[in-house]
Coordinates of all heavy atoms in Angstrom, one line a residue:
M1 N -25.7 15.1 -6.2 CA -26.0 14.8 -4.9 C -24.8 15.2 -4.0 O -25.0 15.6 -2.9 CB -26.4 13.4 -4.7 CG -26.8 13.1 -3.3 SD -27.2 11.4 -2.9 CE -28.9 11.3 -3.6
A2 N -23.6 14.8 -4.5 CA -22.4 15.2 -3.7 C -22.3 16.6 -3.4 O -22.0 17.1 -2.3 CB -21.2 14.6 -4.4
L3 N -22.5 17.4 -4.5 CA -22.3 18.9 -4.3 C -23.5 19.4 -3.4 O -23.2 20.3 -2.5 CB -22.5 19.5 -5.8 CG -22.3 21.0 -5.8 CD1 -20.9 21.4 -5.3 CD2 -22.5 21.4 -7.2
K4 N -24.7 18.9 -3.6 CA -25.8 19.3 -2.7 C -25.5 19.1 -1.2 O -25.9 19.9 -0.3 CB -27.1 18.6 -3.1 CG -28.2 18.9 -2.2 CD -29.4 18.1 -2.7 CE -30.5 18.2 -1.7 NZ -31.6 17.3 -2.0
N5 N -24.8 18.0 -0.9 CA -24.4 17.6 0.5 C -23.0 18.1 0.9 O -22.6 17.7 2.0 CB -24.6 16.2 0.7 CG -26.1 15.7 0.6 OD1 -26.9 16.2 1.3 ND2 -26.4 15.0 -0.4
G6 N -22.4 18.8 0.1 CA -21.0 19.4 0.5 C -20.0 18.3 0.5 O -19.0 18.5 1.2
S7 N -20.1 17.3 -0.2 CA -19.1 16.2 -0.3 C -18.2 16.4 -1.5 O -18.6 17.1 -2.5 CB -19.8 14.8 -0.4 OG -20.7 14.6 0.7
R8 N -17.1 15.7 -1.6 CA -16.2 15.6 -2.7 C -16.2 14.1 -3.3 O -16.5 13.2 -2.6 CB -14.8 15.8 -2.3 CG -14.4 17.3 -2.3 CD -12.9 17.4 -2.0 NE -12.0 16.9 -3.1 CZ -11.8 17.5 -4.2 NH1 -12.6 18.5 -4.6 NH2 -10.9 17.0 -5.0
I9 N -16.1 14.1 -4.5 CA -15.9 12.9 -5.3 C -14.4 12.8 -5.8 O -14.0 13.8 -6.4 CB -16.8 12.7 -6.5 CG1 -18.2 12.8 -6.0 CG2 -16.6 11.5 -7.3 CD1 -19.3 12.8 -7.1
T10 N -13.7 11.8 -5.5 CA -12.4 11.6 -6.0 C -12.4 10.3 -6.8 O -12.5 9.2 -6.3 CB -11.4 11.6 -5.0 OG1 -11.4 12.8 -4.2 CG2 -10.0 11.5 -5.5
Y11 N -12.1 10.4 -8.1 CA -12.0 9.2 -9.0 C -10.4 8.8 -8.9 O -9.5 9.7 -8.9 CB -12.2 9.6 -10.4 CG -13.7 9.8 -10.7 CD1 -14.1 11.2 -10.8 CD2 -14.7 8.8 -10.7 CE1 -15.4 11.5 -11.1 CE2 -16.0 9.2 -10.9 CZ -16.3 10.4 -11.1 OH -17.7 10.7 -11.3
V12 N -10.2 7.5 -8.8 CA -8.8 7.0 -8.7 C -8.6 6.0 -9.8 O -9.4 4.9 -9.8 CB -8.6 6.4 -7.3 CG1 -7.1 5.8 -7.3 CG2 -8.7 7.4 -6.2
M13 N -7.8 6.2 -10.7 CA -7.3 5.2 -11.8 C -6.4 4.3 -11.1 O -5.4 4.7 -10.6 CB -6.7 5.9 -13.0 CG -6.4 4.9 -14.0 SD -7.7 4.4 -15.0 CE -8.1 5.8 -16.0
L14 N -6.8 3.0 -11.0 CA -6.0 2.0 -10.3 C -4.8 1.7 -11.2 O -4.8 1.7 -12.4 CB -6.8 0.8 -10.0 CG -8.0 1.0 -9.1 CD1 -8.7 -0.3 -8.9 CD2 -7.5 1.6 -7.7
P15 N -3.7 1.2 -10.5 CA -2.5 0.7 -11.2 C -2.8 -0.5 -12.1 O -3.6 -1.4 -11.7 CB -1.6 0.3 -10.1 CG -2.0 1.2 -8.9 CD -3.5 1.2 -9.1
L16 N -2.2 -0.6 -13.2 CA -2.3 -1.7 -14.2 C -0.8 -2.0 -14.6 O 0.0 -1.2 -14.8 CB -3.1 -1.2 -15.4 CG -4.5 -0.9 -15.2 CD1 -5.1 -0.2 -16.4 CD2 -5.4 -2.1 -14.8
L17 N -0.7 -3.3 -14.9 CA 0.6 -3.7 -15.5 C 0.7 -3.7 -17.0 O 1.6 -3.9 -17.6 CB 0.9 -5.2 -15.0 CG 1.3 -5.4 -13.6 CD1 1.6 -6.7 -13.2 CD2 2.5 -4.4 -13.2
I18 N -0.4 -3.2 -17.6 CA -0.6 -3.0 -19.1 C -0.7 -1.5 -19.4 O -1.8 -1.0 -19.3 CB -1.6 -3.9 -19.7 CG1 -1.5 -5.3 -19.3 CG2 -1.7 -3.6 -21.2 CD1 -2.7 -6.2 -19.9
P19 N 0.4 -0.9 -19.8 CA 0.3 0.6 -19.9 C -0.6 1.1 -21.1 O -1.1 2.1 -21.1 CB 1.8 1.0 -20.2 CG 2.5 -0.3 -20.6 CD 1.8 -1.3 -20.0
D20 N -0.8 0.2 -22.1 CA -1.7 0.5 -23.2 C -3.0 -0.3 -23.1 O -3.5 -0.6 -24.1 CB -0.9 0.1 -24.5 CG 0.3 0.9 -24.8 OD1 0.4 2.1 -24.2 OD2 1.3 0.4 -25.4
F21 N -3.5 -0.4 -21.9 CA -4.7 -1.1 -21.7 C -5.8 -0.4 -22.5 O -6.0 0.9 -22.6 CB -5.2 -1.1 -20.3 CG -6.3 -2.0 -19.9 CD1 -6.0 -3.3 -19.8 CD2 -7.5 -1.5 -19.8 CE1 -7.1 -4.2 -19.5 CE2 -8.6 -2.4 -19.5 CZ -8.4 -3.8 -19.3
P22 N -6.6 -1.1 -23.3 CA -7.6 -0.5 -24.2 C -8.6 0.4 -23.4 O -9.2 0.1 -22.5 CB -8.4 -1.8 -24.8 CG -7.4 -2.9 -24.6 CD -6.7 -2.6 -23.4
G23 N -8.8 1.6 -24.0 CA -9.7 2.6 -23.4 C -9.1 3.4 -22.2 O -9.7 4.3 -21.9
L24 N -7.9 3.1 -21.8 CA -7.3 3.7 -20.7 C -7.1 5.3 -20.9 O -7.5 6.1 -20.1 CB -6.0 3.1 -20.3 CG -5.3 3.6 -19.1 CD1 -6.1 3.5 -17.8 CD2 -3.9 3.1 -18.9
K25 N -6.6 5.6 -22.1 CA -6.4 7.0 -22.4 C -7.8 7.8 -22.4 O -7.9 8.9 -22.0 CB -5.7 7.2 -23.7 CG -4.2 6.8 -23.5 CD -3.3 6.9 -24.8 CE -2.0 6.4 -24.5 NZ -1.1 6.5 -25.8
A26 N -8.8 7.2 -23.0 CA -10.1 7.8 -23.2 C -10.7 8.0 -21.8 O -11.2 9.2 -21.6 CB -11.0 7.1 -24.1
V27 N -10.6 7.1 -20.9 CA -11.0 7.2 -19.5 C -10.3 8.3 -18.8 O -10.8 9.1 -18.1 CB -11.1 5.9 -18.8 CG1 -11.4 6.0 -17.3 CG2 -12.0 4.9 -19.5
D28 N -9.0 8.3 -19.0 CA -8.1 9.4 -18.4 C -8.5 10.7 -18.8 O -8.7 11.7 -18.0 CB -6.7 9.1 -18.7 CG -5.7 10.1 -18.1 OD1 -5.8 10.2 -16.8 OD2 -5.1 10.9 -18.8
R29 N -8.8 10.9 -20.1 CA -9.2 12.3 -20.6 C -10.6 12.6 -19.9 O -10.8 13.8 -19.6 CB -9.3 12.2 -22.1 CG -8.0 12.3 -22.8 CD -8.1 12.6 -24.3 NE -8.9 11.5 -25.0 CZ -8.4 10.4 -25.5 NH1 -7.0 10.2 -25.5 NH2 -9.1 9.6 -26.1
K30 N -11.5 11.7 -19.9 CA -12.9 12.0 -19.4 C -12.8 12.4 -17.9 O -13.4 13.3 -17.4 CB -13.7 10.7 -19.5 CG -15.1 11.0 -19.2 CD -15.9 11.3 -20.4 CE -17.3 11.2 -20.2 NZ -18.1 11.7 -21.3
L31 N -12.0 11.7 -17.1 CA -11.9 12.0 -15.7 C -11.1 13.2 -15.4 O -11.4 14.0 -14.5 CB -11.3 10.8 -15.0 CG -12.1 9.5 -15.0 CD1 -11.4 8.3 -14.3 CD2 -13.4 9.7 -14.3
S32 N -10.1 13.5 -16.2 CA -9.3 14.7 -16.2 C -10.2 15.9 -16.4 O -10.2 16.9 -15.6 CB -8.1 14.7 -17.1 OG -7.2 13.8 -16.7
A33 N -11.1 15.8 -17.4 CA -12.0 16.9 -17.7 C -13.1 17.1 -16.6 O -13.4 18.2 -16.2 CB -12.8 16.6 -19.0
A34 N -13.5 16.0 -16.0 CA -14.5 16.1 -14.9 C -13.9 16.8 -13.7 O -14.5 17.7 -13.1 CB -15.0 14.8 -14.5
A35 N -12.6 16.5 -13.4 CA -11.9 17.1 -12.3 C -11.6 18.5 -12.5 O -11.6 19.3 -11.7 CB -10.6 16.3 -12.0
A36 N -11.3 18.8 -13.8 CA -11.0 20.3 -14.2 C -12.2 21.2 -14.1 O -12.1 22.4 -14.0 CB -10.3 20.4 -15.5
G37 N -13.4 20.6 -14.2 CA -14.6 21.4 -14.3 C -15.3 21.8 -13.0 O -16.1 22.6 -13.0
G38 N -14.9 21.3 -11.9 CA -15.5 21.7 -10.7 C -14.7 21.4 -9.4 O -13.9 20.5 -9.4
G39 N -15.0 22.2 -8.4 CA -14.3 22.1 -7.2 C -14.6 20.8 -6.4 O -13.9 20.5 -5.4
H40 N -15.7 20.2 -6.6 CA -16.0 19.0 -5.8 C -15.6 17.7 -6.3 O -15.9 16.7 -5.7 CB -17.5 19.0 -5.5 CG -18.4 18.6 -6.6 ND1 -18.7 19.4 -7.7 CD2 -19.1 17.4 -6.8 CE1 -19.4 18.8 -8.6 NE2 -19.6 17.7 -8.1
V41 N -14.9 17.7 -7.5 CA -14.5 16.5 -8.2 C -13.0 16.5 -8.2 O -12.4 17.4 -8.8 CB -15.1 16.3 -9.6 CG1 -14.7 15.1 -10.2 CG2 -16.6 16.3 -9.5
G42 N -12.4 15.4 -7.8 CA -10.9 15.2 -7.9 C -10.6 14.0 -8.8 O -11.5 13.1 -8.9
Y43 N -9.4 13.9 -9.2 CA -9.0 12.7 -10.0 C -7.5 12.5 -9.7 O -6.7 13.4 -9.8 CB -9.2 13.0 -11.5 CG -8.7 11.8 -12.4 CD1 -8.9 10.5 -12.2 CD2 -7.9 12.3 -13.5 CE1 -8.3 9.6 -13.0 CE2 -7.4 11.3 -14.3 CZ -7.6 10.0 -14.1 OH -7.1 9.0 -14.9
V44 N -7.1 11.2 -9.5 CA -5.8 10.8 -9.2 C -5.6 9.6 -10.2 O -6.2 8.6 -10.1 CB -5.5 10.4 -7.8 CG1 -4.1 10.0 -7.7 CG2 -5.9 11.4 -6.8
N45 N -4.6 9.7 -11.0 CA -4.2 8.7 -12.0 C -3.0 7.9 -11.5 O -1.9 8.5 -11.6 CB -4.0 9.4 -13.4 CG -3.7 8.2 -14.5 OD1 -3.3 7.1 -14.1 ND2 -3.9 8.5 -15.7
L46 N -3.3 6.8 -11.2 CA -2.2 5.9 -10.7 C -1.9 4.7 -11.6 O -1.3 3.7 -11.1 CB -2.6 5.4 -9.2 CG -2.8 6.4 -8.1 CD1 -3.3 5.9 -6.9 CD2 -1.5 7.2 -7.9
A47 N -2.3 4.8 -12.7 CA -2.3 3.7 -13.7 C -0.9 3.1 -13.9 O -0.6 2.0 -14.1 CB -2.9 4.1 -15.0
T48 N 0.2 4.0 -13.8 CA 1.5 3.6 -14.1 C 2.2 3.5 -12.7 O 3.5 3.2 -12.8 CB 2.2 4.6 -15.0 OG1 2.2 5.9 -14.4 CG2 1.7 4.6 -16.4
A49 N 1.6 3.6 -11.6 CA 2.3 3.4 -10.3 C 2.4 1.8 -10.0 O 1.6 1.1 -10.6 CB 1.5 4.1 -9.2
M50 N 3.1 1.5 -9.0 CA 3.1 0.1 -8.6 C 3.4 -1.0 -9.6 O 2.7 -1.9 -9.7 CB 1.9 -0.3 -7.8 CG 1.7 0.4 -6.4 SD 0.1 0.0 -5.7 CE 0.2 -1.7 -5.5
Q51 N 4.4 -0.7 -10.4 CA 4.8 -1.6 -11.5 C 5.5 -2.8 -11.2 O 6.4 -3.3 -12.0 CB 5.5 -0.8 -12.6 CG 4.4 0.3 -13.3 CD 3.2 -0.3 -13.9 OE1 3.4 -1.0 -14.9 NE2 2.2 0.0 -13.4
D52 N 5.3 -3.4 -10.0 CA 6.1 -4.4 -9.5 C 5.2 -5.6 -9.4 O 4.1 -5.5 -8.7 CB 6.6 -4.2 -8.1 CG 7.5 -5.2 -7.5 OD1 7.3 -6.4 -7.8 OD2 8.5 -4.9 -6.7
R53 N 5.5 -6.7 -10.1 CA 4.5 -7.8 -10.2 C 4.2 -8.5 -8.9 O 3.2 -9.1 -8.7 CB 5.1 -8.9 -11.2 CG 5.2 -8.5 -12.6 CD 5.6 -9.7 -13.5 NE 5.4 -9.3 -14.9 CZ 4.3 -9.3 -15.6 NH1 3.2 -9.7 -15.0 NH2 4.4 -9.0 -16.9
R54 N 5.0 -8.2 -7.8 CA 4.8 -8.8 -6.6 C 3.4 -8.3 -5.9 O 3.0 -8.9 -5.0 CB 5.9 -8.6 -5.5 CG 6.1 -7.3 -5.1 CD 7.4 -7.1 -4.2 NE 7.7 -5.7 -4.1 CZ 7.5 -5.0 -3.0 NH1 7.0 -5.6 -1.9 NH2 7.8 -3.8 -2.9
F55 N 2.9 -7.2 -6.4 CA 1.7 -6.6 -5.9 C 0.4 -7.1 -6.7 O -0.7 -6.8 -6.3 CB 1.7 -5.1 -6.1 CG 2.7 -4.4 -5.3 CD1 3.6 -3.5 -5.8 CD2 2.7 -4.6 -3.9 CE1 4.5 -2.8 -5.0 CE2 3.7 -4.0 -3.1 CZ 4.6 -3.1 -3.7
F56 N 0.6 -7.9 -7.7 CA -0.5 -8.3 -8.6 C -0.8 -9.8 -8.7 O 0.2 -10.6 -8.7 CB -0.3 -7.7 -10.0 CG -0.4 -6.3 -10.1 CD1 0.7 -5.5 -9.9 CD2 -1.5 -5.7 -10.4 CE1 0.6 -4.1 -10.0 CE2 -1.7 -4.3 -10.5 CZ -0.6 -3.6 -10.3
Y57 N -2.1 -10.2 -8.7 CA -2.4 -11.5 -9.0 C -2.3 -11.8 -10.5 O -1.9 -12.9 -11.0 CB -3.9 -11.7 -8.5 CG -4.5 -13.0 -8.9 CD1 -4.1 -14.2 -8.2 CD2 -5.4 -13.2 -9.9 CE1 -4.7 -15.5 -8.6 CE2 -5.9 -14.4 -10.3 CZ -5.6 -15.5 -9.6 OH -6.1 -16.7 -9.9
D58 N -2.8 -10.9 -11.3 CA -2.6 -10.8 -12.8 C -2.3 -9.5 -13.3 O -1.9 -8.6 -12.4 CB -3.8 -11.5 -13.4 CG -5.1 -10.8 -13.2 OD1 -5.1 -9.6 -12.8 OD2 -6.2 -11.3 -13.3
H59 N -2.5 -9.1 -14.5 CA -2.1 -7.8 -15.1 C -2.9 -6.6 -14.5 O -2.4 -5.5 -14.7 CB -2.3 -7.8 -16.6 CG -3.6 -8.0 -17.1 ND1 -4.3 -9.2 -17.1 CD2 -4.6 -7.1 -17.5 CE1 -5.5 -9.0 -17.5 NE2 -5.7 -7.8 -17.8
M60 N -4.1 -6.9 -13.8 CA -4.8 -5.7 -13.3 C -5.5 -6.0 -11.9 O -6.2 -5.1 -11.5 CB -5.9 -5.4 -14.4 CG -7.0 -6.3 -14.6 SD -8.1 -6.0 -16.0 CE -8.6 -4.3 -15.6
H61 N -5.2 -7.0 -11.3 CA -5.9 -7.3 -10.1 C -4.8 -7.5 -8.9 O -3.9 -8.3 -9.1 CB -6.7 -8.5 -10.0 CG -7.9 -8.5 -11.0 ND1 -7.8 -8.9 -12.3 CD2 -9.1 -7.8 -10.9 CE1 -9.0 -8.7 -13.0 NE2 -9.7 -8.0 -12.1
F62 N -4.9 -6.7 -7.8 CA -4.0 -6.8 -6.7 C -4.1 -8.2 -6.0 O -5.2 -8.7 -5.9 CB -4.3 -5.7 -5.7 CG -4.1 -4.3 -6.1 CD1 -5.0 -3.3 -5.8 CD2 -3.0 -4.0 -6.8 CE1 -4.9 -2.0 -6.2 CE2 -2.7 -2.6 -7.2 CZ -3.6 -1.7 -6.9
N63 N -3.0 -8.6 -5.5 CA -3.0 -9.7 -4.6 C -3.1 -9.1 -3.2 O -3.2 -7.8 -3.0 CB -1.8 -10.6 -4.7 CG -0.5 -9.8 -4.6 OD1 -0.4 -8.8 -3.9 ND2 0.5 -10.4 -5.2
K64 N -3.0 -9.9 -2.0 CA -3.1 -9.4 -0.7 C -2.0 -8.3 -0.4 O -2.3 -7.3 0.2 CB -3.0 -10.5 0.3 CG -4.3 -11.2 0.3 CD -4.2 -12.4 1.3 CE -5.4 -13.3 1.4 NZ -5.4 -14.4 2.3
T65 N -0.8 -8.5 -0.9 CA 0.3 -7.6 -0.6 C 0.0 -6.3 -1.4 O 0.3 -5.2 -0.8 CB 1.6 -8.1 -1.1 OG1 1.8 -9.4 -0.4 CG2 2.8 -7.3 -0.9
G66 N -0.5 -6.4 -2.6 CA -0.9 -5.2 -3.4 C -2.0 -4.4 -2.8 O -2.0 -3.1 -2.7
I67 N -3.0 -5.1 -2.2 CA -4.1 -4.4 -1.6 C -3.6 -3.6 -0.4 O -4.0 -2.5 -0.2 CB -5.2 -5.4 -1.1 CG1 -5.8 -6.0 -2.4 CG2 -6.2 -4.7 -0.2 CD1 -6.8 -7.1 -2.1
A68 N -2.8 -4.3 0.5 CA -2.3 -3.6 1.6 C -1.4 -2.4 1.3 O -1.5 -1.3 1.9 CB -1.5 -4.6 2.4
H69 N -0.6 -2.6 0.3 CA 0.3 -1.5 -0.1 C -0.5 -0.3 -0.7 O -0.2 0.9 -0.4 CB 1.4 -2.0 -1.1 CG 2.4 -1.0 -1.6 ND1 3.4 -0.7 -0.8 CD2 2.4 -0.3 -2.8 CE1 4.1 0.3 -1.5 NE2 3.6 0.5 -2.6
F70 N -1.4 -0.6 -1.5 CA -2.3 0.4 -2.1 C -3.1 1.1 -1.1 O -3.2 2.4 -1.1 CB -3.1 -0.2 -3.2 CG -3.8 0.9 -4.0 CD1 -3.3 1.6 -5.1 CD2 -5.3 1.1 -3.8 CE1 -3.9 2.6 -5.8 CE2 -5.9 2.1 -4.5 CZ -5.2 2.8 -5.5
A71 N -3.7 0.4 -0.2 CA -4.5 1.1 0.8 C -3.6 2.0 1.7 O -4.1 3.1 2.0 CB -5.2 0.0 1.8
E72 N -2.5 1.6 2.1 CA -1.6 2.4 2.9 C -1.1 3.6 2.3 O -0.9 4.6 2.8 CB -0.5 1.6 3.6 CG 0.4 2.3 4.5 CD 1.5 1.5 5.0 OE1 1.4 0.2 5.1 OE2 2.5 2.0 5.6
N73 N -0.6 3.4 1.0 CA 0.2 4.5 0.4 C -0.6 5.2 -0.7 O -0.1 6.2 -1.2 CB 1.4 3.8 -0.3 CG 2.4 3.2 0.7 OD1 2.9 4.0 1.4 ND2 2.3 1.9 0.8
A74 N -1.8 4.8 -1.0 CA -2.7 5.6 -1.9 C -3.9 6.0 -1.3 O -4.3 7.1 -1.2 CB -2.8 4.8 -3.2
L75 N -4.7 5.0 -0.9 CA -6.1 5.4 -0.5 C -6.1 6.2 0.8 O -6.8 7.1 1.0 CB -6.9 4.1 -0.2 CG -7.4 3.3 -1.5 CD1 -8.2 2.1 -1.1 CD2 -8.1 4.3 -2.4
G76 N -5.2 5.8 1.7 CA -5.1 6.5 3.0 C -4.8 8.0 2.8 O -5.6 8.9 3.2
P77 N -3.7 8.3 2.1 CA -3.4 9.7 1.8 C -4.5 10.4 1.0 O -4.8 11.5 1.4 CB -2.2 9.6 1.0 CG -1.4 8.4 1.4 CD -2.7 7.4 1.7
I78 N -5.1 9.8 0.0 CA -6.1 10.4 -0.7 C -7.3 10.8 0.2 O -7.8 11.9 0.1 CB -6.6 9.5 -1.9 CG1 -5.5 9.4 -3.0 CG2 -7.9 10.1 -2.5 CD1 -5.7 8.4 -4.0
L79 N -7.7 9.9 1.1 CA -8.8 10.1 2.0 C -8.5 11.2 3.0 O -9.4 12.0 3.4 CB -9.3 8.9 2.7 CG -9.9 7.8 1.9 CD1 -10.1 6.6 2.6 CD2 -11.3 8.3 1.3
R80 N -7.2 11.4 3.2 CA -6.8 12.6 4.1 C -6.6 13.8 3.4 O -6.1 14.9 3.9 CB -5.5 12.2 4.9 CG -5.7 11.1 5.9 CD -4.6 10.9 6.7 NE -3.3 10.5 6.0 CZ -3.0 9.2 5.7 NH1 -3.7 8.2 6.1 NH2 -1.9 9.0 5.1
G81 N -6.8 13.9 2.0 CA -6.5 15.1 1.2 C -5.1 15.3 0.9 O -4.6 16.3 0.5
E82 N -4.3 14.2 1.0 CA -2.8 14.3 0.7 C -2.6 13.6 -0.6 O -3.3 12.8 -1.2 CB -2.1 13.6 1.8 CG -2.3 14.2 3.2 CD -1.7 13.4 4.3 OE1 -1.2 12.3 4.1 OE2 -2.0 13.7 5.4
A83 N -1.3 13.8 -1.1 CA -1.0 13.1 -2.4 C -0.5 11.6 -2.0 O 0.1 11.4 -0.9 CB 0.3 13.8 -3.0
P84 N -0.8 10.7 -2.9 CA -0.4 9.3 -2.6 C 1.2 9.2 -2.6 O 1.9 10.1 -3.2 CB -0.9 8.6 -3.9 CG -1.9 9.4 -4.4 CD -1.6 10.8 -4.1
T85 N 1.7 8.3 -1.9 CA 3.1 8.1 -1.8 C 3.7 6.9 -2.5 O 4.6 6.3 -2.3 CB 3.5 8.0 -0.2 OG1 2.9 6.9 0.3 CG2 3.2 9.2 0.5
L86 N 2.9 6.6 -3.6 CA 3.4 5.4 -4.4 C 4.4 5.9 -5.4 O 4.6 7.1 -5.8 CB 2.2 4.9 -5.3 CG 1.0 4.3 -4.5 CD1 -0.1 4.0 -5.4 CD2 1.5 3.1 -3.8
E87 N 5.3 5.0 -5.8 CA 6.4 5.3 -6.7 C 5.9 5.5 -8.1 O 5.0 4.9 -8.6 CB 7.4 4.2 -6.7 CG 6.9 2.8 -7.1 CD 6.0 2.1 -6.2 OE1 5.9 2.5 -5.1 OE2 5.3 1.2 -6.7
T88 N 6.6 6.4 -8.8 CA 6.5 6.6 -10.3 C 5.1 6.9 -10.9 O 4.1 6.3 -10.5 CB 7.2 5.6 -11.1 OG1 6.4 4.4 -11.0 CG2 8.6 5.4 -10.7
G89 N 5.0 7.7 -11.8 CA 3.8 7.8 -12.6 C 2.6 8.4 -12.1 O 1.5 8.2 -12.6
V90 N 2.7 9.0 -10.9 CA 1.4 9.6 -10.2 C 1.2 11.0 -10.7 O 2.0 11.8 -10.7 CB 1.7 9.5 -8.7 CG1 0.5 10.2 -8.0 CG2 2.0 8.1 -8.1
R91 N -0.1 11.1 -11.1 CA -0.5 12.4 -11.5 C -1.8 12.8 -10.7 O -2.7 12.0 -10.8 CB -0.8 12.5 -13.1 CG -1.2 14.0 -13.4 CD -1.4 14.1 -14.9 NE -2.8 13.7 -15.1 CZ -3.2 12.8 -16.0 NH1 -2.3 12.2 -16.8 NH2 -4.4 12.5 -16.1
S92 N -1.8 13.7 -10.0 CA -2.9 14.1 -9.1 C -3.4 15.4 -9.4 O -2.7 16.4 -9.5 CB -2.5 14.0 -7.7 OG -3.5 14.4 -6.8
E93 N -4.7 15.6 -9.6 CA -5.4 16.9 -9.7 C -5.4 17.5 -8.3 O -5.5 16.8 -7.3 CB -6.8 16.7 -10.3 CG -6.8 16.1 -11.7 CD -6.1 16.9 -12.7 OE1 -6.1 18.2 -12.6 OE2 -5.4 16.3 -13.5
P94 N -5.4 18.8 -8.2 CA -5.5 19.5 -6.9 C -6.7 19.0 -6.1 O -7.8 18.9 -6.7 CB -5.6 21.0 -7.3 CG -5.1 21.1 -8.7 CD -5.4 19.8 -9.3
Q95 N -6.5 18.8 -4.9 CA -7.6 18.4 -4.0 C -8.3 19.6 -3.5 O -8.7 20.2 -2.8 CB -7.1 17.6 -2.8 CG -6.4 16.4 -3.2 CD -7.3 15.3 -3.8 OE1 -8.4 15.0 -3.2 NE2 -6.9 14.6 -4.9

């Protein structure tokens, strides 16, 4: 449907405080393959970004500070077709 309507899909792997989260590597491979296969699909892996506990309620859920930081420095740029400006570990497929 996205392709039919001239839209793009961008998958975003959210930051986590557990680098070996079960299934993370398999999901990363799947999304990387999806992004490599077509021009209307993008993928940004931010799983290792924002590794500061002040942004998280627990190991995988943002608190209010984390939500604001992620929205400003990741979602905003991604929606504008720019690279996220989060620190460390960011891998972005071409937009």
Side-chain angles (χ1 to χ4, degrees):
M1 184 181 283
L3 186 58
K4 178 182 171 186
N5 291 297
S7 298
R8 272 188 65 73
I9 297 171
T10 301
Y11 294 103
V12 179
M13 179 78 72
L14 298 176
L16 297 167
L17 290 179
I18 300 175
D20 296 332
F21 193 79
L24 184 65
K25 289 180 183 178
V27 171
D28 179 61
R29 283 191 301 271
K30 187 90 162 169
L31 295 177
S32 292
H40 75 287
V41 177
Y43 173 48
V44 182
N45 183 338
L46 299 173
T48 60
M50 288 179 60
Q51 296 297 296
D52 187 329
R53 290 189 176 276
R54 70 187 167 105
F55 295 127
F56 291 85
Y57 174 76
D58 59 22
H59 67 282
M60 66 185 309
H61 297 100
F62 294 136
N63 58 26
K64 287 181 183 179
T65 302
I67 292 168
H69 184 76
F70 188 76
E72 180 179 342
N73 297 289
L75 291 183
I78 290 168
L79 290 172
R80 291 188 300 272
E82 302 166 1
T85 57
L86 296 173
E87 63 287 346
T88 71
V90 175
R91 188 179 79 233
S92 177
E93 298 298 324
Q95 300 289 320

